[in-house]
């Protein structure tokens, strides 16, 4: 479903991704772990075209995008790429002047030219799925952070993506609100959604991921099943990371 080949990306003199290659199967849940600045979020942003790699390529389903593409070809490929992927960020990025329902129906109507009646039907089902059916006519300012993030997930799902990308979806939330967002993500995993998740939620990674990919200094240091990674990481960098995570206050 996803094939990353020899991806490299720098910001000025800072090399953030260094020859990264990764394959992800349909229905697989891959969690990207690693210290801040390891390249996890940049890799995720390259997967849906938010960042342009300096070298290498990304293929999602039948859409292929290469660093060396001409601008016109790249623009077309990025548009196709984003029709396949839904992305949820740390910040909720909801439109404050729109109701919850209008936030969810906007993209299907404007990007896919979906009739409003159909978009509303899909949105209402998705809001029910994330436990917010009764909030459809509220504005984002009236919602908690956890509720806003669940709306953001519903909005991403409204585009009917084949893949969901999550970039630290709970990092801006208080601990008591984190659980409600992770529960929605667990439900998506159970339904077979292909997911790539950047998170520091170790319990979620252990319980839900099919595979852990540990990154540090722009490279994939190691990858494997959660039970193996958490029981006995192969590299000292991964061992140090897990020790630090275990010391963080809950």
């Amino acid at each position: 479903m996803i094939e990353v080949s020899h991806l490299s990306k720098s910001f000025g003199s800072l090399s953030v991704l260094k020859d990264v290659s990764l394959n992800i199967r349909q229905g697989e849940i891959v969690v990207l772990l690693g210290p801040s600045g390891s390249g996890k979020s940049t890799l995720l942003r390259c997967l849906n075209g938010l960042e342009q790699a300096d070298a290498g390529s990304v293929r999602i389903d039948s859409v292929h995008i290469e660093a060396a593409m001409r601008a016109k070809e790249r623009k077309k490929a990025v548009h196709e790429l984003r029709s396949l992927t839904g992305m949820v960020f740390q910040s909720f990025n909801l439109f404050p002047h729109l109701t919850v329902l209008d936030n969810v129906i906007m993209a299907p109507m404007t990007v896919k030219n979906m009739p409003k009646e159909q978009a509303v039907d899909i949105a209402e089902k998705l809001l029910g799925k994330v436990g917010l059916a009764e909030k459809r006519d509220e504005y984002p300012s009236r919602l908690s952070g956890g509720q806003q993030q669940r709306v953001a997930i519903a909005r991403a799902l409204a585009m009917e993506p084949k893949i969901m990308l999550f970039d630290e979806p709970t990092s801006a939330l208080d601990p008591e609100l984190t659980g409600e967002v992770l529960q929605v993500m667990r439900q998506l995993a159970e339904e077979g959604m292909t997911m790539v998740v950047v998170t520091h939620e170790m319990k979620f990674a252990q319980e839900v991921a099919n595979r852990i990919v540990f990154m540090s200094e722009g490279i994939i240091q190691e990858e494997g099943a959660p039970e193996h990674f958490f029981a006995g990481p192969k590299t000292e960098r991964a061992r140090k990371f897990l020790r630090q995570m275990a010391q963080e206050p809950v």
Side-chain angles (χ1 to χ4, degrees):
M1 177 64 86
I2 302 174
E3 182 180 343
V4 178
S5 299
H6 303 291
L7 213 61
S8 294
K9 173 69 178 175
S10 295
F11 295 101
S13 61
L14 181 64
S15 183
V16 181
L17 295 176
K18 305 169 185 174
D19 197 33
V20 170
S21 294
L22 178 67
N23 292 326
I24 297 172
R25 299 185 303 276
Q26 184 173 352
E28 192 174 17
I29 295 98
V30 172
V31 171
L32 305 180
L33 295 180
S36 296
S38 59
K40 311 180 300 294
S41 292
T42 301
L43 175 57
L44 209 63
R45 290 169 70 86
C46 286
L47 290 182
N48 83 333
L50 279 173
E51 295 289 356
Q52 182 172 356
D54 300 323
S57 66
V58 170
R59 182 187 61 77
I60 294 183
D61 204 13
S62 60
V63 180
H64 196 258
I65 185 165
E66 295 197 29
M69 265 181 170
R70 288 179 299 190
K72 189 175 179 181
E73 291 175 337
R74 174 182 160 76
K75 186 177 180 181
K76 181 174 181 289
V78 167
H79 181 76
E80 292 174 354
L81 209 62
R82 289 181 184 162
S83 72
L84 296 172
T85 59
M87 189 156 181
V88 178
F89 302 86
Q90 297 178 34
S91 52
F92 322 123
N93 294 334
L94 299 178
F95 294 107
H97 62 290
L98 298 180
T99 65
V100 164
L101 182 71
D102 287 338
N103 264 282
V104 178
I105 67 175
M106 182 182 229
M109 288 175 60
T110 55
V111 179
K112 299 176 82 173
N113 296 316
M114 187 181 289
K116 183 172 182 178
E117 188 176 328
Q118 184 184 351
V120 168
D121 186 50
I122 290 171
E124 288 178 337
K125 287 187 175 75
L126 289 172
L127 289 171
K129 183 189 187 79
V130 300
L132 292 171
E134 77 286 358
K135 301 290 187 183
R136 54 163 276 168
D137 297 320
E138 296 281 7
Y139 287 89
S141 61
R142 300 285 299 274
L143 305 181
S144 70
Q147 289 171 331
Q148 289 188 58
Q149 192 61 295
R150 283 186 280 154
V151 173
I153 293 172
R155 180 179 60 182
L157 290 171
M159 291 295 289
E160 301 175 321
K162 292 189 176 183
I163 296 156
M164 285 290 286
L165 309 173
F166 292 90
D167 188 7
E168 295 278 14
T170 60
S171 67
L173 302 178
D174 294 332
E176 64 267 26
L177 300 177
T178 293
E180 62 191 49
V181 174
L182 294 179
Q183 183 53 43
V184 172
M185 294 170 66
R186 283 189 175 93
Q187 185 182 344
L188 289 176
E190 288 167 5
E191 292 169 359
M193 174 67 76
T194 306
M195 295 164 59
V196 187
V197 184
V198 174
T199 185
H200 281 96
E201 296 292 335
M202 296 297 110
K203 189 168 184 285
F204 175 83
Q206 284 179 280
E207 293 174 354
V208 178
N210 302 119
R211 182 159 40 121
I212 301 294
V213 173
F214 177 75
M215 296 184 68
S216 179
E217 298 179 350
I219 66 172
I220 294 175
Q221 299 280 348
E222 62 179 286
E223 55 183 298
E227 56 268 28
H228 297 142
F229 177 80
F230 286 101
K234 299 169 190 155
T235 63
E236 177 53 36
R237 280 197 179 98
R239 287 192 287 272
K240 181 182 177 185
F241 172 77
L242 289 179
R243 284 196 300 270
Q244 288 174 334
M245 294 305 297
Q247 290 167 8
E248 285 195 359
V250 177

